[in-house]
Amino acid sequence: MVSKIWGYFIVIGIVYSFIFGDVIALNETILNSTKTSLELILQIFPVIALWLGIAEIATQSGILSKLSNSLSRILHPLFPEIPKNHISLNYIASNIIANLFGLGNAATPFGLKAMSSLQELNKDKTRASRSMITFTSINTSGVTIVPTTIIALRILYKSNSPTITVISTLISTLIATVFALIIDRLIAGRYHE
Amino acid sequence: MSDYVLPLIVLIIVFYGIIKKVDLYDAFIKGSKESFKMSFTIFPNLLAMLLSVNIFVNSGLLEDMVNFLLPFLKVPIEVISLMIMRPISGNATLALLNTIYTKYGVDSFYSLLGSTIQGCTDTTLYVLALYYGSVGIKNTRYALRVSLLADIVGIVSSLIICYLLFF
């Protein structure tokens, strides 16, 4: 489905630009995408290197599993397919913890590790497993306690109360996450999984 | 306060590693090495996503649609665009939020609403493409449906909660 949207975006975007838009700007957009993505990867790459290094220390010392064991009690019912003590639950827990504290950069490497360890359990390697979908549903609904980017931006604009939206964000994100989990359960049930 | 979170996490992990007699340096290098492979896998996904999203966003179709709908809505164009763009592009919405802050004032209702929307959901399309792309999954089944529905619910609840709290 993502693949279809990808195609539609390109076709609709180019055709619309031909008819109503700016074709010179379209050329720039196409060519600049390569530059922007390289810049992005250069930004993310060192951060991934840093956090995977730190994460390995945390894994070897056992603090990662200790931390996520407490979370996994809550998480396990959501991921019934994952065997107990499987490493993927630790990565999922770490990803959620990083997201909770607004450390989006740290969350991504953990999320990618979670996906690759979930893929090990996956029977059909080209098809998303139920656990993967539950995981990405939690992830995209954006559970967060401290929206760091927003707070930083509000401070930058000299807000009188930079943290005032923390409460409204927390409530909305909780509603969205709970809703995502319910829908995920309902649809998974329809597939008899 | 939030400035202490990051260093504290690093401190706790390294300190616990010392107690547990982990070969800290080797562990760090071993973990860090994986980042090459990971970055190589995500680069094509990033490029693909940016290409498609940028062509679509820059074509002006969304703006024209919003302009068309604007007379029926009582919210400024930037806020509507923010809602529509949120699942598609994180950079575009951050730019929109900047515009809203400058235009209406950082502590105005629209800015608070925009901040809440920006904070309460993630860039769904990007996350899905990155996560499923990194492990080579082609069939994402109902993942997109669930995530987009959750985004809509998040945005609607942001609207309601901001009206209740800040209006």
Side-chain angles (χ1 to χ4, degrees), chain A residues 29-41:
Chain A
T29 303
I30 294 174
L31 293 175
N32 276 343
S33 302
T34 55
K35 219 179 89 190
T36 331
S37 52
L38 184 62
E39 280 165 9
L40 248 173
I41 208 83

Side-chain angles (χ1 to χ4, degrees), chain B residues 81-99:
Chain B
S81 306
L82 185 80
M83 290 174 187
I84 299 175
M85 300 277 275
R86 188 66 193 100
I88 305 173
S89 168
N91 284 331
T93 46
L94 211 55
L96 277 166
L97 199 60
N98 272 293
T99 318

Side-chain angles (χ1 to χ4, degrees), chain A residues 6 9 13 16 29 37 45 49 56 66 113 119 126 128 132 136 140-141 154 157 159-160 168 171 173 193, chain B residues 16 27 30 32 34 39 48 52 58 61 64 98 101 106-107 116 120 122 132 135 137-139 141 147 161:
Chain A
W6 189 80
F9 270 15
Y16 197 84
T29 303
S37 52
F45 169 60
E56 184 63 32
K66 226 179 196 175
K113 287 287 274 186
Q119 179 73 319
T126 58
M132 288 177 175
T136 53
T140 54
S141 63
R154 295 184 59 76
Y157 277 84
S159 163
N160 294 325
S168 56
I171 301 173
T173 196
E193 280 188 35
Chain B
Y16 195 80
K30 186 184 165 229
S32 198
E34 274 186 66
S39 301
S52 162
N58 293 351
L61 174 66
D64 293 348
N98 272 293
Y101 283 180
V106 65
D107 290 317
T116 306
C120 87
D122 210 324
Y132 287 108
V135 286
I137 280 176
K138 290 187 190 78
N139 182 1
R141 299 167 69 207
S147 295
I161 285 154

